[in-house]
Amino acid sequence: MGLTHLDEAGKARMVDISGKAVTARTAIAEGHIAMSAEALAAVRDDSAAKGNVLAVARIAGITAAKKTADLIPLCHPLPLTSVSGDFTLEEGGVRVEATASTTWGTGVEMEAMTAASLALLTIYDMVKAVDKAMVISGVRLLKKTGGKSGDWTARGGC
Protein backbone atom coordinates (compact mmCIF):
# COMPACT_ATOMS: atom_id res chain seq x y z
CA MET A 1 0.00 0.00 0.00
CA GLY A 2 1.31 3.44 -0.91
CA LEU A 3 1.48 6.50 1.29
CA THR A 4 -2.05 7.88 1.24
CA HIS A 5 -1.03 11.36 2.39
CA LEU A 6 0.90 12.00 -0.84
CA ASP A 7 -0.67 12.81 -4.20
CA GLU A 8 0.61 11.52 -7.56
CA ALA A 9 3.24 14.31 -7.64
CA GLY A 10 4.48 13.46 -4.13
CA LYS A 11 2.91 16.51 -2.48
CA ALA A 12 1.30 16.25 0.94
CA ARG A 13 -2.48 16.19 0.99
CA MET A 14 -5.31 15.39 3.31
CA VAL A 15 -6.83 12.05 2.34
CA ASP A 16 -10.37 12.16 0.92
CA ILE A 17 -12.48 10.03 3.27
CA SER A 18 -15.83 10.90 1.69
CA GLY A 19 -16.19 7.40 0.23
CA LYS A 20 -15.24 5.55 3.40
CA ALA A 21 -17.86 3.75 5.45
CA VAL A 22 -18.90 5.32 8.73
CA THR A 23 -18.18 2.62 11.31
CA ALA A 24 -17.45 2.34 15.02
CA ARG A 25 -13.70 2.66 15.58
CA THR A 26 -11.59 2.47 18.72
CA ALA A 27 -7.87 2.82 19.34
CA ILE A 28 -5.80 2.16 22.46
CA ALA A 29 -2.33 3.62 22.93
CA GLU A 30 0.18 3.42 25.75
CA GLY A 31 3.30 5.11 27.00
CA HIS A 32 5.52 5.21 30.08
CA ILE A 33 7.35 7.80 32.12
CA ALA A 34 10.28 6.66 34.23
CA MET A 35 11.00 8.70 37.34
CA SER A 36 12.76 8.70 40.67
CA ALA A 37 11.23 7.08 43.73
CA GLU A 38 10.70 10.58 45.18
CA ALA A 39 8.75 11.75 42.12
CA LEU A 40 6.70 8.55 42.04
CA ALA A 41 5.85 9.04 45.71
CA ALA A 42 4.64 12.58 44.95
CA VAL A 43 2.36 11.18 42.24
CA ARG A 44 1.16 8.25 44.36
CA ASP A 45 0.62 10.29 47.54
CA ASP A 46 -0.99 13.25 45.73
CA SER A 47 1.64 15.53 47.26
CA ALA A 48 2.97 17.31 44.18
CA ALA A 49 3.06 21.09 44.64
CA LYS A 50 1.01 21.62 41.47
CA GLY A 51 -1.87 19.39 42.59
CA ASN A 52 -3.32 15.99 41.71
CA VAL A 53 -0.95 14.82 38.98
CA LEU A 54 -3.02 12.00 37.54
CA ALA A 55 -6.28 13.97 37.53
CA VAL A 56 -4.65 16.82 35.61
CA ALA A 57 -2.85 14.38 33.26
CA ARG A 58 -6.15 12.62 32.51
CA ILE A 59 -7.84 15.92 31.57
CA ALA A 60 -4.78 16.92 29.49
CA GLY A 61 -4.97 13.64 27.57
CA ILE A 62 -8.67 14.05 26.86
CA THR A 63 -8.15 17.64 25.75
CA ALA A 64 -5.23 16.62 23.54
CA ALA A 65 -7.30 13.94 21.79
CA LYS A 66 -9.93 16.58 21.01
CA LYS A 67 -7.21 18.85 19.53
CA THR A 68 -5.34 16.24 17.47
CA ALA A 69 -6.38 17.69 14.10
CA ASP A 70 -5.02 21.07 15.23
CA LEU A 71 -1.66 19.53 16.16
CA ILE A 72 -1.07 17.02 13.35
CA PRO A 73 -1.51 18.81 10.02
CA LEU A 74 -3.06 16.05 7.89
CA CYS A 75 -5.36 14.52 10.53
CA HIS A 76 -9.07 14.90 9.96
CA PRO A 77 -11.08 16.57 12.68
CA LEU A 78 -13.50 13.91 13.84
CA PRO A 79 -16.34 13.56 16.31
CA LEU A 80 -14.98 11.65 19.27
CA THR A 81 -17.59 9.63 21.12
CA SER A 82 -15.29 8.73 24.02
CA VAL A 83 -11.77 9.37 25.34
CA SER A 84 -10.31 7.96 28.53
CA GLY A 85 -6.96 7.74 30.25
CA ASP A 86 -5.94 5.11 32.76
CA PHE A 87 -2.75 5.14 34.81
CA THR A 88 -0.79 2.34 36.43
CA LEU A 89 1.85 3.15 39.00
CA GLU A 90 4.75 0.77 38.42
CA GLU A 91 8.12 0.39 40.04
CA GLY A 92 10.11 3.30 38.66
CA GLY A 93 7.34 5.14 36.87
CA VAL A 94 3.83 5.50 35.52
CA ARG A 95 2.21 3.77 32.56
CA VAL A 96 -0.66 5.48 30.74
CA GLU A 97 -3.21 3.77 28.52
CA ALA A 98 -5.40 6.08 26.46
CA THR A 99 -8.50 4.96 24.58
CA ALA A 100 -10.32 6.98 21.92
CA SER A 101 -13.52 6.05 20.08
CA THR A 102 -15.62 7.44 17.26
CA THR A 103 -18.23 6.43 14.73
CA TRP A 104 -16.81 8.04 11.62
CA GLY A 105 -15.07 7.44 8.29
CA THR A 106 -11.51 7.43 9.63
CA GLY A 107 -9.67 5.92 12.57
CA VAL A 108 -8.74 7.33 15.97
CA GLU A 109 -5.20 5.99 16.31
CA MET A 110 -3.63 9.45 16.28
CA GLU A 111 -6.12 10.71 18.87
CA ALA A 112 -5.26 7.85 21.24
CA MET A 113 -1.51 8.35 20.79
CA THR A 114 -1.84 12.12 21.20
CA ALA A 115 -3.81 11.59 24.41
CA ALA A 116 -1.16 9.24 25.79
CA SER A 117 1.68 11.59 24.81
CA LEU A 118 0.15 14.69 26.37
CA ALA A 119 -0.83 12.86 29.54
CA LEU A 120 2.82 11.83 29.92
CA LEU A 121 4.09 15.34 29.19
CA THR A 122 1.68 16.68 31.79
CA ILE A 123 2.99 14.25 34.39
CA TYR A 124 6.49 15.50 33.58
CA ASP A 125 5.38 19.12 33.96
CA MET A 126 3.61 18.45 37.25
CA VAL A 127 6.60 16.78 38.98
CA LYS A 128 9.64 18.23 37.22
CA ALA A 129 10.48 20.19 40.37
CA VAL A 130 11.18 16.83 42.03
CA ASP A 131 12.86 15.04 39.08
CA LYS A 132 14.05 16.71 35.87
CA ALA A 133 15.61 13.44 34.63
CA MET A 134 12.28 11.69 33.94
CA VAL A 135 12.16 9.82 30.63
CA ILE A 136 9.08 9.39 28.45
CA SER A 137 9.19 6.30 26.26
CA GLY A 138 7.23 3.58 24.57
CA VAL A 139 4.37 5.63 23.15
CA ARG A 140 2.72 3.23 20.71
CA LEU A 141 -0.54 1.97 19.35
CA LEU A 142 -1.66 -1.15 21.22
CA LYS A 143 -4.89 -1.92 19.42
CA LYS A 144 -7.37 -0.58 16.88
CA THR A 145 -10.78 -1.84 15.90
CA GLY A 146 -13.10 -1.05 13.01
CA GLY A 147 -12.60 0.49 9.62
CA LYS A 148 -11.62 -0.92 6.25
CA SER A 149 -8.40 -2.52 7.50
CA GLY A 150 -10.21 -4.24 10.38
CA ASP A 151 -8.88 -5.01 13.82
CA TRP A 152 -5.20 -4.93 14.75
CA THR A 153 -3.31 -5.69 17.97
CA ALA A 154 0.37 -4.98 18.64
CA ARG A 155 2.66 -7.85 19.52
CA GLY A 156 2.89 -7.92 23.28
CA GLY A 157 -0.12 -5.58 23.48
CA CYS A 158 -3.71 -5.87 24.70
XYZ file of all heavy atoms in Angstrom, residues 3-92:
638
model
N 1.724 5.476 0.271
C 1.478 6.495 1.286
C 0.271 7.321 0.866
O 0.304 8.016 -0.149
C 2.714 7.387 1.455
C 3.965 6.675 1.950
C 5.152 7.636 1.952
C 3.748 6.105 3.334
N -0.795 7.245 1.631
C -2.051 7.884 1.237
C -2.047 9.392 1.430
O -2.922 10.077 0.908
C -3.228 7.283 2.025
O -2.983 7.458 3.430
C -3.398 5.808 1.711
N -1.079 9.915 2.168
C -1.032 11.356 2.392
C -0.189 12.093 1.341
O 0.119 13.256 1.494
C -0.519 11.674 3.803
C -1.541 11.417 4.852
N -1.735 10.171 5.410
C -2.442 12.232 5.439
C -2.704 10.246 6.302
N -3.155 11.484 6.338
N 0.167 11.379 0.276
C 0.895 11.997 -0.837
C 0.079 11.844 -2.106
O -0.476 10.777 -2.376
C 2.265 11.334 -1.025
C 3.235 11.418 0.148
C 4.513 10.645 -0.166
C 3.548 12.860 0.497
N 0.026 12.914 -2.921
C -0.665 12.806 -4.201
C 0.281 12.210 -5.247
O 1.406 11.835 -4.933
C -1.252 14.160 -4.634
C -0.198 15.208 -4.967
O 1.001 14.865 -5.115
O -0.574 16.390 -5.091
N -0.180 12.142 -6.484
C 0.612 11.524 -7.560
C 1.941 12.230 -7.787
O 2.911 11.638 -8.246
C -0.185 11.513 -8.877
C -1.486 10.722 -8.821
C -2.605 11.472 -8.099
O -2.628 12.729 -8.062
O -3.470 10.789 -7.533
N 2.008 13.521 -7.455
C 3.236 14.306 -7.635
C 4.121 14.283 -6.388
O 5.153 14.941 -6.348
C 2.880 15.752 -7.995
N 3.685 13.541 -5.349
C 4.478 13.462 -4.133
C 4.250 14.595 -3.149
O 4.986 14.737 -2.178
N 3.222 15.402 -3.393
C 2.909 16.514 -2.481
C 1.968 16.035 -1.377
O 1.080 15.210 -1.619
C 2.256 17.669 -3.254
C 3.193 18.319 -4.277
C 2.545 19.521 -4.915
C 1.424 19.022 -5.805
N 0.819 20.030 -6.649
N 2.160 16.592 -0.193
C 1.304 16.251 0.941
C -0.128 16.695 0.671
O -0.368 17.738 0.062
C 1.822 16.917 2.208
N -1.062 15.870 1.126
C -2.478 16.193 0.985
C -3.254 15.508 2.098
O -2.800 14.543 2.694
C -3.031 15.717 -0.347
C -3.042 14.185 -0.433
C -3.613 13.689 -1.730
N -3.444 12.253 -1.816
C -4.446 11.388 -1.821
N -5.680 11.814 -1.761
N -4.227 10.103 -1.887
N -4.412 16.033 2.369
C -5.310 15.394 3.308
C -6.103 14.355 2.528
O -6.647 14.640 1.461
C -6.238 16.439 3.930
C -6.996 15.967 5.109
S -7.777 17.430 5.858
C -8.350 16.723 7.362
N -6.154 13.142 3.030
C -6.834 12.045 2.344
C -8.334 12.327 2.250
O -8.943 12.814 3.205
C -6.593 10.723 3.107
C -7.384 9.579 2.493
C -5.115 10.387 3.132
N -8.920 12.016 1.103
C -10.366 12.160 0.915
C -11.043 10.938 1.529
O -10.883 9.816 1.052
C -10.687 12.248 -0.576
C -12.168 12.411 -0.850
O -12.976 12.419 0.118
O -12.532 12.519 -2.032
N -11.792 11.153 2.602
C -12.480 10.035 3.266
C -13.969 9.996 2.938
O -14.712 9.210 3.519
C -12.284 10.080 4.802
C -12.911 11.335 5.401
C -10.810 9.946 5.165
C -13.050 11.296 6.908
N -14.396 10.805 1.979
C -15.833 10.904 1.692
C -16.444 9.575 1.253
O -17.635 9.348 1.470
C -16.099 11.980 0.642
O -15.451 11.662 -0.576
N -15.663 8.690 0.671
C -16.187 7.403 0.227
C -16.043 6.291 1.248
O -16.474 5.160 1.000
N -15.454 6.584 2.395
C -15.241 5.553 3.404
C -16.499 5.341 4.243
O -17.238 6.276 4.530
C -14.072 5.930 4.318
C -12.730 5.921 3.587
C -11.612 6.377 4.482
C -11.016 5.191 5.214
N -9.845 5.591 6.028
N -16.701 4.095 4.635
C -17.865 3.749 5.453
C -17.730 4.350 6.856
O -16.647 4.373 7.429
C -17.992 2.232 5.552
N -18.839 4.836 7.360
C -18.896 5.320 8.734
C -19.112 4.095 9.624
O -20.138 3.424 9.528
C -20.032 6.353 8.907
C -20.222 6.706 10.370
C -19.725 7.598 8.082
N -18.108 3.783 10.431
C -18.179 2.616 11.314
C -17.650 2.994 12.694
O -16.961 3.999 12.865
C -17.326 1.442 10.774
O -15.954 1.842 10.723
C -17.770 1.006 9.385
N -17.981 2.160 13.659
C -17.452 2.342 15.017
C -15.969 1.984 14.999
O -15.566 0.947 14.452
C -18.210 1.462 15.995
N -15.150 2.844 15.569
C -13.698 2.659 15.584
C -13.166 3.019 16.958
O -13.606 3.998 17.568
C -13.033 3.546 14.539
C -13.514 3.258 13.099
C -13.317 4.476 12.220
N -13.910 4.324 10.904
C -13.252 3.939 9.818
N -11.983 3.658 9.878
N -13.872 3.842 8.659
N -12.224 2.234 17.423
C -11.591 2.471 18.715
C -10.096 2.247 18.575
O -9.659 1.391 17.802
C -12.157 1.518 19.793
O -13.545 1.781 19.951
C -11.467 1.696 21.131
N -9.313 3.019 19.306
C -7.867 2.822 19.343
C -7.395 2.945 20.789
O -7.915 3.757 21.562
C -7.147 3.848 18.476
N -6.414 2.128 21.131
C -5.805 2.158 22.458
C -4.307 2.357 22.273
O -3.670 1.655 21.483
C -6.065 0.848 23.229
C -7.570 0.580 23.347
C -5.413 0.900 24.612
C -7.910 -0.809 23.866
N -3.760 3.334 22.990
C -2.326 3.622 22.931
C -1.763 3.608 24.349
O -2.500 3.793 25.324
C -2.079 4.986 22.284
N -0.464 3.411 24.442
C 0.180 3.423 25.746
C 1.482 4.195 25.688
O 2.015 4.470 24.610
C 0.472 2.002 26.237
C 1.616 1.319 25.501
C 2.053 0.012 26.116
O 1.644 -0.315 27.251
O 2.815 -0.712 25.447
N 1.993 4.498 26.858
C 3.300 5.115 27.005
C 3.720 5.014 28.460
O 2.923 4.640 29.330
N 4.967 5.348 28.728
C 5.518 5.206 30.077
C 6.395 6.405 30.390
O 7.046 6.961 29.501
C 6.348 3.919 30.142
C 6.896 3.627 31.498
N 8.145 4.039 31.912
C 6.358 2.977 32.544
C 8.344 3.651 33.152
N 7.280 2.994 33.565
N 6.407 6.797 31.658
C 7.347 7.805 32.118
C 8.101 7.225 33.307
O 7.492 6.801 34.294
C 6.662 9.157 32.453
C 7.710 10.202 32.838
C 5.580 9.005 33.497
C 7.187 11.638 32.828
N 9.413 7.144 33.156
C 10.283 6.661 34.227
C 10.663 7.847 35.097
O 10.913 8.945 34.591
C 11.534 6.013 33.636
N 10.700 7.610 36.414
C 10.998 8.703 37.345
C 11.622 8.152 38.619
O 11.576 6.947 38.871
C 9.723 9.482 37.662
C 8.643 8.661 38.333
S 7.078 9.569 38.597
C 6.547 9.910 36.936
N 12.140 9.069 39.397
C 12.756 8.698 40.667
C 11.689 8.227 41.657
O 10.495 8.508 41.493
C 13.490 9.905 41.264
O 12.552 10.913 41.631
N 12.142 7.536 42.682
C 11.230 7.084 43.728
C 10.539 8.276 44.401
O 9.353 8.210 44.744
C 11.992 6.251 44.760
N 11.267 9.372 44.550
C 10.698 10.576 45.176
C 9.574 11.160 44.316
O 8.512 11.535 44.821
C 11.803 11.615 45.403
C 11.338 12.842 46.139
C 12.429 13.893 46.319
O 13.548 13.720 45.793
O 12.142 14.912 46.967
N 9.790 11.232 43.018
C 8.753 11.753 42.121
C 7.547 10.821 42.089
O 6.401 11.280 42.120
C 9.320 11.947 40.720
N 7.803 9.517 42.040
C 6.704 8.546 42.037
C 5.890 8.652 43.320
O 4.658 8.577 43.296
C 7.241 7.130 41.839
C 6.198 6.033 41.668
C 5.275 6.321 40.494
C 6.885 4.681 41.492
N 6.556 8.865 44.441
C 5.848 9.038 45.712
C 4.962 10.285 45.676
O 3.836 10.263 46.183
C 6.847 9.126 46.865
N 5.444 11.360 45.066
C 4.639 12.581 44.945
C 3.386 12.327 44.123
O 2.302 12.830 44.443
C 5.475 13.708 44.340
N 3.518 11.528 43.060
C 2.357 11.178 42.239
C 1.413 10.290 43.042
O 0.209 10.547 43.138
C 2.795 10.473 40.937
C 1.587 9.951 40.162
C 3.633 11.402 40.068
N 1.970 9.235 43.618
C 1.158 8.252 44.361
C 0.445 8.877 45.556
O -0.733 8.621 45.803
C 2.051 7.105 44.832
C 1.309 6.013 45.598
C 2.239 5.001 46.242
N 3.076 5.669 47.238
C 4.410 5.669 47.208
N 5.066 5.039 46.265
N 5.097 6.309 48.141
N 1.154 9.729 46.297
C 0.618 10.288 47.537
C -0.153 11.589 47.327
O -0.596 12.201 48.300
C 1.760 10.539 48.526
C 2.509 9.259 48.877
O 1.946 8.152 48.693
O 3.676 9.372 49.313
N -0.290 12.001 46.066
C -0.989 13.246 45.735
C -0.394 14.429 46.502
O -1.112 15.267 47.040
C -2.488 13.102 46.014
C -3.323 14.228 45.420
O -2.817 14.936 44.529
O -4.480 14.411 45.859
N 0.961 14.470 46.506
C 1.641 15.526 47.261
C 2.451 16.471 46.378
O 3.230 17.271 46.899
C 2.556 14.889 48.321
O 3.564 14.098 47.713
N 2.255 16.403 45.072
C 2.969 17.312 44.179
C 2.479 18.740 44.413
O 1.282 18.973 44.631
C 2.751 16.922 42.718
N 3.401 19.680 44.373
C 3.064 21.089 44.643
C 1.995 21.623 43.690
O 1.204 22.492 44.070
C 4.333 21.938 44.557
N 1.953 21.106 42.461
C 1.007 21.621 41.471
C -0.379 20.989 41.563
O -1.268 21.372 40.819
C 1.562 21.413 40.054
C 2.732 22.326 39.734
C 3.133 22.191 38.266
C 4.176 23.203 37.871
N 4.488 23.138 36.432
N -0.548 19.982 42.432
C -1.875 19.387 42.592
C -1.900 17.917 42.234
O -0.870 17.253 42.156
N -3.104 17.409 42.006
C -3.316 15.994 41.712
C -2.803 15.684 40.304
O -3.445 16.001 39.301
C -4.799 15.653 41.841
C -5.067 14.175 41.672
O -4.568 13.542 40.749
N -5.877 13.619 42.558
N -1.648 15.047 40.244
C -0.946 14.818 38.975
C -1.782 13.995 38.003
O -1.940 14.368 36.831
C 0.416 14.148 39.234
C 1.093 13.755 37.927
C 1.310 15.050 40.068
N -2.317 12.890 38.459
C -3.024 12.002 37.535
C -4.362 12.582 37.090
O -4.765 12.389 35.939
C -3.195 10.618 38.157
C -1.879 9.900 38.480
C -2.157 8.516 39.046
C -0.949 9.832 37.277
N -5.026 13.328 37.939
C -6.284 13.965 37.533
C -6.022 14.998 36.435
O -6.737 15.049 35.426
C -6.969 14.624 38.733
N -4.980 15.807 36.619
C -4.652 16.815 35.613
C -4.164 16.147 34.327
O -4.547 16.547 33.220
C -3.616 17.825 36.161
C -3.181 18.804 35.074
C -4.193 18.586 37.348
N -3.352 15.094 34.449
C -2.850 14.383 33.261
C -3.999 13.745 32.480
O -3.989 13.730 31.245
C -1.829 13.328 33.682
N -4.991 13.218 33.186
C -6.154 12.622 32.508
C -6.896 13.676 31.689
O -7.226 13.462 30.517
C -7.079 11.984 33.545
C -8.294 11.304 32.917
C -9.119 10.525 33.945
N -8.386 9.328 34.339
C -7.843 9.130 35.561
N -7.966 10.041 36.497
N -7.204 8.010 35.816
N -7.152 14.837 32.286
C -7.836 15.916 31.570
C -6.990 16.401 30.395
O -7.514 16.673 29.304
C -8.168 17.085 32.521
C -9.160 16.634 33.601
C -8.719 18.289 31.757
C -10.487 16.130 33.080
N -5.669 16.499 30.588
C -4.782 16.917 29.494
C -4.855 15.933 28.329
O -4.899 16.339 27.162
C -3.350 17.041 29.995
N -4.874 14.646 28.627
C -4.973 13.635 27.574
C -6.273 13.734 26.800
O -6.294 13.660 25.566
N -7.360 13.911 27.514
C -8.672 14.048 26.860
C -8.693 15.296 25.982
O -9.124 15.252 24.821
C -9.794 14.078 27.918
C -9.918 12.707 28.594
C -11.124 14.506 27.294
C -10.777 12.707 29.857
N -8.197 16.392 26.518
C -8.150 17.641 25.748
C -7.275 17.481 24.510
O -7.636 17.936 23.417
C -7.632 18.786 26.634
O -8.505 18.920 27.759
C -7.578 20.101 25.866
N -6.146 16.830 24.668
C -5.233 16.625 23.539
C -5.894 15.806 22.438
O -5.761 16.130 21.249
C -3.959 15.935 24.017
N -6.611 14.751 22.807
C -7.301 13.938 21.793
C -8.265 14.799 20.993
O -8.357 14.671 19.767
C -8.034 12.777 22.459
N -8.967 15.701 21.675
C -9.927 16.580 21.005
C -9.244 17.588 20.087
O -9.866 18.101 19.161
C -10.765 17.301 22.052
C -11.693 16.364 22.815
C -12.264 16.934 24.102
C -12.909 18.259 23.976
N -13.538 18.723 25.237
N -7.965 17.860 20.309
C -7.213 18.852 19.535
C -6.260 18.224 18.520
O -5.471 18.930 17.894
C -6.397 19.743 20.485
C -7.229 20.546 21.451
C -7.939 21.651 20.736
C -8.604 22.600 21.707
N -9.297 23.663 21.001
N -6.312 16.925 18.329
C -5.340 16.240 17.468
C -5.259 16.846 16.075
O -4.171 17.067 15.546
C -5.654 14.734 17.393
O -5.571 14.190 18.718
C -4.684 14.003 16.487
N -6.394 17.135 15.470
C -6.382 17.691 14.103
C -5.733 19.071 14.055
O -5.235 19.486 13.004
C -7.798 17.753 13.544
N -5.699 19.779 15.173
C -5.017 21.072 15.228
C -3.511 20.909 15.375
O -2.750 21.808 15.038
C -5.523 21.904 16.422
C -6.974 22.311 16.262
O -7.443 22.448 15.115
O -7.647 22.482 17.295
N -3.083 19.777 15.883
C -1.661 19.533 16.164
C -0.947 18.773 15.054
O 0.235 18.985 14.819
C -1.519 18.749 17.477
C -2.088 19.435 18.721
C -2.134 18.455 19.882
C -1.266 20.658 19.059
N -1.660 17.851 14.401
C -1.074 17.017 13.353
C -1.720 17.440 12.037
O -2.907 17.201 11.819
C -1.281 15.520 13.649
C -0.636 15.187 15.002
C -0.689 14.666 12.535
C -0.874 13.783 15.486
N -0.953 18.092 11.169
C -1.511 18.806 10.024
C -2.452 18.030 9.105
O -3.416 18.605 8.616
C -0.277 19.266 9.243
C 0.813 19.298 10.239
C 0.501 18.216 11.230
N -2.233 16.757 8.862
C -3.058 16.047 7.889
C -4.116 15.151 8.531
O -4.770 14.379 7.841
C -2.175 15.240 6.931
C -1.167 16.092 6.139
C -0.302 15.222 5.250
C -1.871 17.174 5.325
N -4.294 15.260 9.840
C -5.357 14.516 10.529
C -6.697 15.190 10.284
O -6.793 16.409 10.303
C -5.098 14.470 12.031
S -3.944 13.209 12.530
N -7.711 14.368 10.098
C -9.069 14.897 9.960
C -9.626 15.233 11.330
O -9.457 14.458 12.274
C -9.991 13.848 9.332
C -9.707 13.583 7.902
N -8.743 12.689 7.498
C -10.245 14.093 6.777
C -8.705 12.651 6.177
N -9.609 13.494 5.718
N -10.327 16.355 11.446
C -11.083 16.565 12.681
C -12.220 15.548 12.690
O -12.845 15.314 11.654
C -11.608 17.994 12.547
C -11.424 18.378 11.130
C -10.448 17.443 10.502
N -12.441 14.916 13.821
C -13.499 13.913 13.840
C -14.271 13.969 15.150
O -13.759 14.429 16.160
C -12.949 12.514 13.567
C -11.741 12.034 14.353
C -12.164 11.336 15.620
C -10.949 11.091 13.491
N -15.505 13.507 15.110
C -16.344 13.564 16.310
C -16.019 12.402 17.245
O -16.407 11.261 17.001
C -17.765 13.449 15.743
C -17.593 12.649 14.487
C -16.240 13.022 13.945
N -15.302 12.692 18.297
C -14.979 11.655 19.265
C -16.220 11.326 20.083
O -16.943 12.219 20.513
C -13.861 12.129 20.193
C -12.503 12.309 19.518
C -11.540 13.038 20.443
C -11.931 10.967 19.085
N -16.456 10.052 20.287
C -17.585 9.633 21.124
C -17.128 9.319 22.540
O -17.937 9.332 23.460
C -18.290 8.408 20.522
O -17.333 7.364 20.324
C -18.949 8.767 19.194
N -15.818 9.046 22.700
C -15.295 8.727 24.025
C -13.780 8.857 24.010
O -13.130 8.509 23.019
C -15.679 7.288 24.401
O -15.094 6.919 25.630
N -13.224 9.355 25.113
C -11.773 9.371 25.338
C -11.561 9.104 26.820
O -12.245 9.688 27.661
C -11.122 10.726 24.978
C -9.618 10.685 25.240
C -11.395 11.100 23.532
N -10.621 8.220 27.132
C -10.308 7.962 28.534
C -8.807 7.774 28.692
O -8.096 7.468 27.736
C -11.045 6.721 29.040
O -10.621 5.564 28.345
N -8.361 7.959 29.919
C -6.963 7.744 30.252
C -6.877 6.993 31.562
O -7.522 7.366 32.549
N -6.131 5.913 31.555
C -5.941 5.107 32.758
C -4.460 5.055 33.079
O -3.622 4.957 32.174
C -6.501 3.698 32.555
C -8.005 3.711 32.357
O -8.697 4.298 33.203
O -8.473 3.153 31.358
N -4.140 5.086 34.358
C -2.753 5.140 34.809
C -2.455 3.959 35.719
O -3.290 3.582 36.546
C -2.488 6.446 35.563
C -2.759 7.664 34.724
C -3.987 8.286 34.755
C -1.776 8.167 33.880
C -4.249 9.390 33.966
C -2.026 9.277 33.083
C -3.264 9.888 33.133
N -1.268 3.405 35.554
C -0.792 2.341 36.426
C 0.533 2.789 37.011
O 1.471 3.108 36.266
C -0.589 1.025 35.626
O -1.810 0.689 34.967
C -0.161 -0.105 36.548
N 0.598 2.837 38.325
C 1.855 3.147 38.998
C 2.671 1.864 39.040
O 2.201 0.839 39.528
C 1.599 3.672 40.411
C 0.735 4.934 40.508
C 0.548 5.327 41.963
C 1.335 6.069 39.728
N 3.857 1.928 38.484
C 4.747 0.771 38.421
C 6.045 1.112 39.138
O 6.326 2.288 39.387
C 5.049 0.426 36.956
C 3.806 0.140 36.141
C 4.083 -0.073 34.664
O 5.108 0.413 34.161
O 3.260 -0.729 34.028
N 6.817 0.114 39.442
C 8.116 0.388 40.038
C 8.921 1.241 39.061
O 9.110 0.875 37.910
C 8.862 -0.916 40.327
C 10.152 -0.689 41.074
C 10.830 -1.981 41.474
O 10.160 -3.023 41.579
O 12.050 -1.928 41.675
N 9.301 2.423 39.493
C 10.114 3.295 38.660
C 9.369 4.197 37.706
O 9.991 4.881 36.893
